[in-house]
Amino acid sequence: MKLDNLLIELLTEELPPKSQKQLGISFAKNIKEFLAKHHLANEISEDSIFSTPRRIGLYLKNVKDEADNQNVSIKLMPASVGFDSSEKPTEALLKKLHAIGLNEKDVSGIVKKNENNAEILYINKNEEGAKLKDIIAECISSSLARLPIKKMMSYQLSDGWTTVNFVRPAHGLVILHGANVINANVLGITSNRTTLGHRFESKKEIIEIQHADQYEEQMKIEGAVIVSFEERKALIKNTLNERAASLSNQLTPIEDEDLLDEVTALVEYPNVLAGEFESKFLDVPQECLILSMKANQKYFPLIDKNKKLSNQFLIVSNISPKNSDLIIQGNEKVIRPRLSDAEFFYAQDKKKPLKDYLSQLSHIVYHNKLGSQSERSERVKTIASLIVKNLNQSKLLDAVMLASDLSKADLSSNMVGEFPELQGIMGRYYALNEKISDEVAFAIEDHYKPRFSGDSLPRSTVGDIVAIADKIETLIGLFSIGEKPTGDKDPFALRRQVIGIIRILTEKNIGLNLNTVISESIQVTKLVESKDLNSFIYDRLSNFFKDQGYAALDIEAVLAIESGLINEIPPRLNAIKEFLLLSESEDLASANKRVGNILKKADVKSTLKVDQSLLKDDAEINLYKTLDIVDAESRKEYAAKNYSGSLKLLCKLKNPIDQFFKDVMVNAEDESLKMNRLALLEKLYSAMNLVADLSKLSS
């Protein structure tokens, strides 16, 4: 058995840049898992992952050329099938033994194990360890087959007959175990030790890898290729910052991890250059210019300390000529028409007010079952008015109505038609251009917020209201036509819509009754109610607060109340956390659960009233008097939103409750006594479950 380091490199035509990084990671993961499964490598052994525009690969330390023999337990068949009534092996058992390389002499080694009330036959067998040279082709082929590739290419090999399927045509395969080539054929390519470097910068036409350990260094020196994705990315990031600083200590490249990953996937040896455009284009909203530079040209815009765009930008080139002027000039020439288009669209759009764009919304389909964007906008406006009423914010009604009315107007503008990512943003610019108030203008942009995890929230109450209305309309609309998320699939990002509502309501402490607004919204919009929507929102609430670090049982207890006031959930959860630190909490939770079970079994209605004249035993009299005081005090604290104080007062009930269950028979023979005691328990249950359903806290 020889232990050495393994190198695998698959040379291809240019890989899709947006998926290249993940292809490299997945390929390495699959290779490691396969080798570990065959006992040739350790799953946690050190590795290096390679991915460039033209290759994916892996360098894995301490790989065996041959695994140790393995003693494996093989499941045969039920004992009733393997042995006859005389305990002699059946023909079926002997046939099975022959199939795995054993014979009748090995019957003595068979053991019986009980599984699911049946006896199953097993036998231990010493199997020869796998050899790296024998399984490497299968290892690579199966690893490639498991890559997350959305769309495969089919191409023919040089023989003109054989068709191969892969994300891009493959042209070379290196497999080295230390200094030795391991022969294998994958995708119609026979492995060797040679590969290609950079298309234009490589010092050698063919690079011959001497040893697995020398691959990275040889590729960098001889091939002008940095094979590690993460190393290239770090180099680009550092060089971008250095180049920006060399232009001005006021400038920094815009932060965009996705753009950085994409550019890293486009180059094998990066060269960062600086270009510029005419300052006149800075009159165009900078979001338009930034998006054009990033999306179309993969440039890195430069911003100053005030987050204002400069007229300089950085280019990450894949070539490094002695004179880079032609590259810079070429890129500057390419960017001008793009910026000119943005300038033209902006100038044209400003020629008419936002309200003039509304008529065109009727021609933009939102969903074939839910109508146009115009119809959708009307529903958002209607829901927004309900929210204003629910929040008692009538003074904001005019601003909310105007913001709702104009929220989708920019969808029919030239700029948003060219750059859909700018929806809302351009609406803000156009609103400000025609002197509409900042409050309304920012609400037009902010009603899409939060767009993603960690995104900022709307900047005003008007923005909050329109954002919540827009998200509620999306949820009830799509649920009404059966477009609910399933498993990992959420094509309309409905989970994100709920999280957005939760964040706005909790982080801004807005006392909106979500249950009420959703119910009223369904009625006024005449959309079909979906029973699944409530459970969907409940699940999102539960998961959201679990992610915030709250305990699952605490969340379940609070959500069981279904108050509809999402902003009250965090303080209630914090109150539960404090309550559980009290010595009386466990007994009170258990008692609450017991009371709930009694009431449920008796099918008690909450309309029952306690008749003091029917209280006979000292224990029930004491419980009633104590409860009367505690309930009043607890509700006072609850009304003041002092949820922790409200729960702590319940501790005074522990001893009276214990004594009641010790001395009093609830199900008395006298029906009037029984119903009065049930009424007392109903009053107790109501008092104990103001903040949360305490029974959920009982183990």
Side-chain angles (χ1 to χ4, degrees), residues 482-506:
E483 291 284 5
K484 60 183 180 180
T486 55
D488 294 332
K489 295 182 179 179
D490 187 8
F492 297 100
L494 297 185
R495 293 184 179 95
R496 191 183 70 200
Q497 302 292 341
V498 177
I499 296 302
I501 294 172
I502 296 170
R503 283 194 59 203
I504 293 171
L505 294 178
T506 56

Side-chain angles (χ1 to χ4, degrees), residues 532-677:
D532 295 331
L533 180 55
N534 285 337
S535 60
F536 177 74
I537 293 174
Y538 177 92
D539 288 343
R540 299 286 71 72
L541 281 166
S542 181
N543 291 334
F544 178 83
F545 288 108
K546 283 176 186 174
D547 291 340
Q548 301 293 311
Y550 292 103
L553 285 179
D554 297 5
I555 296 168
E556 187 180 353
V558 170
L559 294 185
I561 298 301
E562 294 186 356
S563 72
L565 295 171
I566 308 302
N567 65 314
E568 290 189 359
I569 295 176
R572 287 172 188 256
L573 288 169
N574 291 329
I576 290 291
K577 191 183 293 185
E578 290 183 33
F579 173 71
L580 290 174
L581 296 175
L582 303 174
S583 59
E584 299 91 344
S585 63
E586 187 174 344
D587 288 339
L588 285 170
S590 297
N592 185 265
K593 187 173 184 178
R594 182 177 181 182
V595 171
N597 288 336
I598 291 171
L599 294 174
K600 185 177 180 180
K601 188 175 182 179
D603 194 22
V604 172
K605 307 299 181 185
S606 59
T607 53
L608 285 177
K609 300 294 182 183
V610 179
D611 184 345
Q612 293 185 58
S613 65
L614 293 177
L615 298 173
K616 303 299 182 184
D617 291 348
D618 290 342
E620 62 182 332
I621 294 171
N622 183 39
L623 176 59
Y624 175 80
K625 289 180 177 179
T626 306
L627 176 59
D628 211 33
I629 296 170
V630 169
D631 189 24
E633 292 177 347
S634 177
R635 289 182 186 276
K636 184 178 179 181
E637 295 298 325
Y638 177 83
K641 300 192 183 302
N642 179 12
Y643 301 127
S644 180
S646 179
L647 286 172
K648 287 177 181 177
L649 284 166
L650 299 181
C651 294
K652 296 178 181 180
L653 293 171
K654 180 187 177 303
N655 290 334
I657 291 172
D658 291 345
Q659 198 63 43
F660 176 86
F661 281 119
K662 181 180 179 182
D663 296 348
V664 177
M665 174 68 71
V666 176
N667 292 318
E669 291 184 6
D670 186 326
E671 185 66 18
S672 60
L673 286 180
K674 173 185 173 181
M675 295 308 295
N676 201 54
R677 286 166 183 172

Side-chain angles (χ1 to χ4, degrees), residues 181-197:
V181 174
I182 301 180
N183 294 316
N185 189 284
V186 177
L187 298 177
I189 302 167
T190 301
S191 60
N192 56 29
R193 64 170 70 247
T194 62
T195 187
L196 302 178

Side-chain angles (χ1 to χ4, degrees), residues 4 7 94 123 140 143 216 270-271 277 311 332 339 347 352 385 510 518 528 552 556:
D4 216 327
L7 168 70
L94 295 176
I123 191 166
I140 297 172
S143 298
E216 283 194 75
N271 178 28
F277 54 84
N311 69 321
E332 289 176 341
L339 302 185
K352 57 183 182 180
S385 67
I510 298 173
I518 288 177
V528 179
E556 187 180 353

Side-chain angles (χ1 to χ4, degrees), residues 292 296-297 299 313 327-340:
S292 181
N296 295 318
Q297 309 305 139
Y299 298 151
F313 59 94
I327 298 176
I328 296 171
Q329 291 168 14
N331 281 279
E332 289 176 341
K333 186 177 180 180
V334 167
I335 197 176
R336 286 190 189 100
R338 295 285 187 180
L339 302 185
S340 293

Side-chain angles (χ1 to χ4, degrees), residues 399 402 428 431-432 434-444 462:
L402 180 57
R428 168 172 65 86
L432 292 174
E434 56 182 288
K435 309 303 181 185
I436 292 175
S437 70
D438 288 2
E439 186 178 45
V440 171
F442 284 115
I444 292 172
V462 173

Side-chain angles (χ1 to χ4, degrees), residues 164-208:
V164 175
N165 296 312
F166 193 51
V167 63
R168 292 292 185 270
H171 296 300
L173 178 64
V174 175
I175 309 175
L176 291 179
H177 189 231
N180 300 318
V181 174
I182 301 180
N183 294 316
N185 189 284
V186 177
L187 298 177
I189 302 167
T190 301
S191 60
N192 56 29
R193 64 170 70 247
T194 62
T195 187
L196 302 178
H198 195 290
R199 281 196 186 276
F200 310 106
E201 306 287 340
S202 182
K203 294 179 181 178
K204 292 185 177 182
E205 185 176 349
I206 301 294
I207 300 171
E208 187 172 325

